[in-house]
Amino acid sequence: MAAGLRPQDVDLTTVLADSRLANPVMTASGCAAAGQELQQFFDVSDLGAVVTKSIMRDVRSGRATPRMAETPSGMLNSIGLQGPGVNAFLARDLPWLLQHDARPIVSIAGSSLGEYAELARRVGNTPGVAAIEVNISCPNVEDRGLVFACHPVQAGRVLSVVRRDTPRGLPVFAKLSPDVTSIVDIARSVVEAGADGLVLINTLLGLNIDFTTMRPKLGGVTGGLSGPAVRPVAVRAVWQVANALPGIPLIGVGGIRTGADALEFLVAGASAVQVGTAIFNDPNAPVRVLSELRTELAAHGFARARDAVGYANRPALEGVMAQ
Amino acid sequence: MTSAITRGPIQVDGEVFSNKRAGAYQHLTLVADGIAERTRPGNFVALAVGGATSANLLRRSFSIYRVRPAGVYGGTVEIVFAAHGAGTQWLADRQPHDAINVVGPLGRPFALPKEPVACALVGGGYGSAPLFALAEKLRERSCAVHMVLGASTESRLFGALEARRAAQSVTVTTLDGSVGIKGLVTDPLPALMARHSIEVVYSCGPMGMLAAATRVATDQGAWSQTAVEEAMACGIGVCMTCVLPVVGDDGVTRMLRSCVEGPVFAGDKVRWDAVGTIPAGTFGAPEVSRQ
């Protein structure tokens, strides 16, 4: 590691499944809509990529309110994937991202294998898409509402149809749920099915009570927990999967609020990171995290962001000999 | 003409200028450069609470009471709020010169009539705060302004004195009768509207009050403009939590974000009875499950 590095000299480029990004910081799906609102605060082309809110085949109204509850260092949400459907997204939102020189990673969500396949074809064949992120945390209507992400076989089936129907050369990333007994088993299954990389983690399922009604606070009853409260869970997931599946590109997400948080994910094994809930606190969070990450990398002697990836996983002896 | 520089929200580190009690409420004035020039009546600001490492991540959104463009102290923005939770209590405890991060101005402002018509401005509790800047704009357009301010009790009225300067007539109501007419803020509205030939009813306050004000306005063939209060996480349009069912010009109900498509809506377009639900037939609503 080099001493006396200046932040501006740090090489931030990162490589994810053969695609090179100018820097490792992205938005997290569901926390940045399709980029337009954030453009009021910073230039979305400054980010490594913009990950869109999950797109479904059809227009969707989402769940009833209340959809949100603040929790210690985090929040619960039960939005229910409100969105315009793939036609409107491809006609309106994706062109906007491309006109603004953003690198769009399009998150897709389906409630059946057929819907995933259709979305993969529609999105994958649209020029300008940088990658597809597969949100497998929605209930599977064909399997009595069970969530794809919680079953190695089901999760693998989704990734296999998406990979089959996505043009060769366009990376497909699977976003995994931490609410499983062994995230490594799910990771292995989706990688064997063709996922080019993994996004770790989606929200954790939570619930809180409203004392005025003495009932669950959220209209959707349960909600996804996000924010700094979940960060150690996400770092743990990245660490475990990085150790079990070396060489598979990982994108870390969960509670990143500062550049130091982002560095923690890189060092645990992620090649890129996503900033989500922190955007609600600070609309400039993605570019602030990027700038702080640059400073953190320099301060810790990493001349290249790539050198930090998985550094915490290095063999014990190497650390001793470097002294 | 609005120049490109003064459009859209900005994020600035504001500094507390003053923070005073106003009856049961708190009146906070922040020096926050650039907000005043962009603000129109009905806009709101979203304030971060608890500092950079706060465990309360979500911004608190408040209607803008008043703004002053940069002068000796730099531009200021003022809000009125009730300290009822951890975040608002933190705001109430801020002292002059303390820093508060501000995002704003946000949301769609009140629509203004093109003709010099008579308007009723109805405020519940601190919901009256944004009505004073609106009154000023309406007077500039030669509109007659009549204010109706209501609250549960006298200490929860905001701006009753100021209203005398801002409006041609002021009607005050309290639920407990401690001051003014005993009853709901919308009780005196039908008679007031008839007496002054009111053509537009502006309202800001709790949802039930907005629904009632809309009903009265619609019954008398007047336009209604309502500023809604929905729980928000981001205030800027990305989180999708603050939605409510609103009917479009095409007759279709959509779940619209109150932060960017509101907070001001035409009252007769909001499906007040269905707030908190996804009414059947809403654009994109799930089909009724087949049993």
Side-chain angles (χ1 to χ4, degrees):
Chain A
M1 297 206 289
L5 261 178
R6 297 180 308 172
Q8 63 266 37
D9 295 334
V10 172
D11 173 3
L12 287 172
T13 54
T14 192
V15 175
L16 280 173
D18 299 335
S19 67
R20 179 176 287 266
L21 297 176
N23 68 69
V25 177
M26 312 172 177
T27 57
S29 181
C31 300
Q36 292 166 46
E37 292 83 358
L38 294 183
Q39 182 74 18
Q40 300 176 108
F41 298 96
F42 64 86
D43 195 337
V44 291
S45 69
D46 287 346
L47 297 179
V50 172
V51 184
T52 68
K53 182 168 172 62
S54 292
I55 301 305
M56 301 195 75
R57 181 175 56 202
D58 303 318
V59 58
R60 197 168 158 109
S61 66
R63 292 211 185 97
T65 54
R67 291 177 166 185
M68 169 274 289
E70 190 176 60
T71 59
S73 291
M75 66 179 287
L76 291 168
N77 87 81
S78 67
I79 309 300
L81 292 167
Q82 178 168 349
V86 69
N87 287 343
F89 173 79
L90 293 179
R92 192 187 62 200
D93 296 336
L94 187 63
W96 184 91
L97 283 165
L98 296 173
Q99 279 155 22
H100 289 79
D101 298 319
R103 279 154 300 280
I105 294 181
V106 178
S107 172
I108 61 171
S111 29
S112 65
L113 292 176
E115 189 175 350
Y116 276 109
E118 184 180 339
L119 286 162
R121 287 192 296 273
R122 298 285 312 278
V123 172
N125 286 303
T126 307
V129 174
I132 289 179
E133 181 178 295
V134 189
N135 178 359
I136 52 174
S137 301
C138 16
N140 171 5
V141 291
E142 289 167 0
D143 198 7
R144 295 156 313 183
L146 295 173
V147 173
F148 290 105
C150 295
H151 303 259
V153 175
Q154 294 285 354
R157 275 192 193 134
V158 174
L159 266 296
S160 118
V161 300
V162 171
R163 184 62 276 178
R164 183 197 70 204
D165 284 11
T166 301
R168 211 181 296 273
L170 186 63
V172 170
F173 302 123
K175 185 168 181 179
L176 305 191
S177 165
D179 286 339
V180 293
T181 311
S182 166
I183 198 161
V184 168
D185 288 349
I186 310 276
R188 198 171 274 127
S189 175
V190 296
V191 166
E192 279 167 12
D196 301 294
L198 304 168
V199 184
L200 305 165
I201 55 173
N202 210 320
T203 55
L204 289 86
L205 205 57
L207 184 146
N208 69 351
I209 301 286
D210 178 349
F211 282 160
T212 58
T213 61
M214 284 294 171
R215 287 186 182 280
K217 190 165 185 179
L218 297 176
V221 182
T222 59
L225 179 66
S226 65
V230 311
R231 201 173 72 238
V233 177
V235 173
R236 178 269 297 170
V238 167
W239 166 274
Q240 285 182 326
V241 175
N243 277 292
L245 303 171
I248 300 300
L250 305 181
I251 302 172
V253 51
I256 294 175
R257 190 177 194 175
T258 68
D261 301 342
L263 179 62
E264 189 179 20
F265 276 91
L266 294 194
V267 169
S271 297
V273 294
Q274 298 176 349
V275 179
T277 302
I279 293 171
F280 304 160
N281 178 256
D282 172 9
N284 278 295
V287 283
R288 179 179 51 74
V289 165
L290 175 58
S291 148
E292 291 172 357
L293 174 61
R294 188 184 275 285
T295 305
E296 290 289 340
L297 286 164
H300 290 91
F302 292 108
R304 306 185 309 170
R306 294 198 294 289
D307 297 340
V309 175
Y311 196 71
N313 291 311
R314 70 195 183 283
L317 261 184
E318 191 188 311
V320 175
M321 292 174 75
Q323 299 293 316
Chain B
M1 280 262 209
T2 316
S3 73
I5 317 163
T6 54
R7 241 184 304 162
I10 54 170
Q11 182 178 15
V12 288
D13 273 319
E15 183 186 324
V16 175
F17 180 80
S18 66
N19 198 356
K20 300 176 198 153
R21 293 291 290 182
Y25 304 125
Q26 201 69 26
H27 173 191
L28 172 65
T29 302
L30 291 167
V31 178
D33 264 332
I35 304 275
E37 293 78 359
R38 293 170 162 81
T39 297
R40 287 189 282 164
N43 284 147
F44 67 94
V45 285
L47 307 184
V49 297
T53 57
S54 175
N56 295 106
L57 288 178
L58 306 182
R59 281 182 180 256
R60 271 56 173 173
S61 292
F62 305 95
S63 289
I64 294 171
Y65 166 42
R66 205 156 54 188
V67 290
R68 292 190 206 287
V72 182
Y73 296 106
T76 57
V77 57
E78 299 173 47
I79 61 163
V80 178
F81 63 96
H84 56 67
T88 43
Q89 189 56 55
W90 184 87
L91 288 172
D93 292 342
R94 291 310 93 200
Q95 300 296 315
H97 307 299
D98 284 352
I100 299 178
N101 192 266
V102 184
V103 171
L106 296 162
R108 287 194 183 172
F110 289 110
L112 300 171
K114 293 188 173 65
E115 305 291 324
V117 298
C119 303
L121 280 54
V122 184
Y126 61 88
S128 59
L131 301 180
F132 296 99
L134 171 65
E136 200 178 310
K137 278 275 175 290
L138 291 169
R139 286 202 316 271
E140 282 171 14
R141 292 171 175 242
S142 307
C143 293
V145 173
H146 301 272
M147 290 187 103
V148 191
L149 306 182
S152 55
T153 188
E154 184 173 7
S155 65
R156 297 192 168 271
L157 275 173
F158 179 77
L161 275 179
E162 186 180 353
R164 291 194 201 162
R165 289 193 300 274
Q168 245 167 276
S169 79
V170 182
T171 310
V172 168
T173 68
T174 50
L175 278 179
D176 64 0
S178 50
V179 64
I181 302 166
K182 185 172 179 173
L184 293 168
V185 69
T186 44
D187 291 345
L189 193 54
L192 178 92
M193 289 184 66
R195 193 158 63 242
H196 298 289
S197 308
I198 301 290
E199 294 190 35
V200 188
V201 175
Y202 292 94
S203 56
C204 181
M207 287 286 189
M209 191 209 98
L210 303 181
T214 298
R215 207 153 45 232
V216 173
T218 307
D219 284 350
Q220 306 220 6
W223 299 99
S224 57
Q225 287 270 299
T226 56
V228 304
E229 268 187 2
E230 259 292 348
M232 295 175 187
C234 75
I236 61 170
V238 293
C239 79
M240 309 300 289
T241 62
C242 62
V243 297
L244 73 174
V246 179
V247 184
D249 292 334
D250 55 3
V252 176
T253 299
R254 292 179 176 79
M255 299 306 291
L256 297 188
R257 295 165 292 179
S258 54
C259 65
V260 291
E261 281 123 339
V264 178
F265 292 99
D268 59 323
K269 299 292 188 189
V270 177
R271 295 186 57 180
W272 300 106
D273 294 344
V275 169
T277 70
I278 309 289
T282 298
F283 194 53
E287 285 172 35
V288 180
S289 61
R290 294 173 293 270
Q291 295 292 329

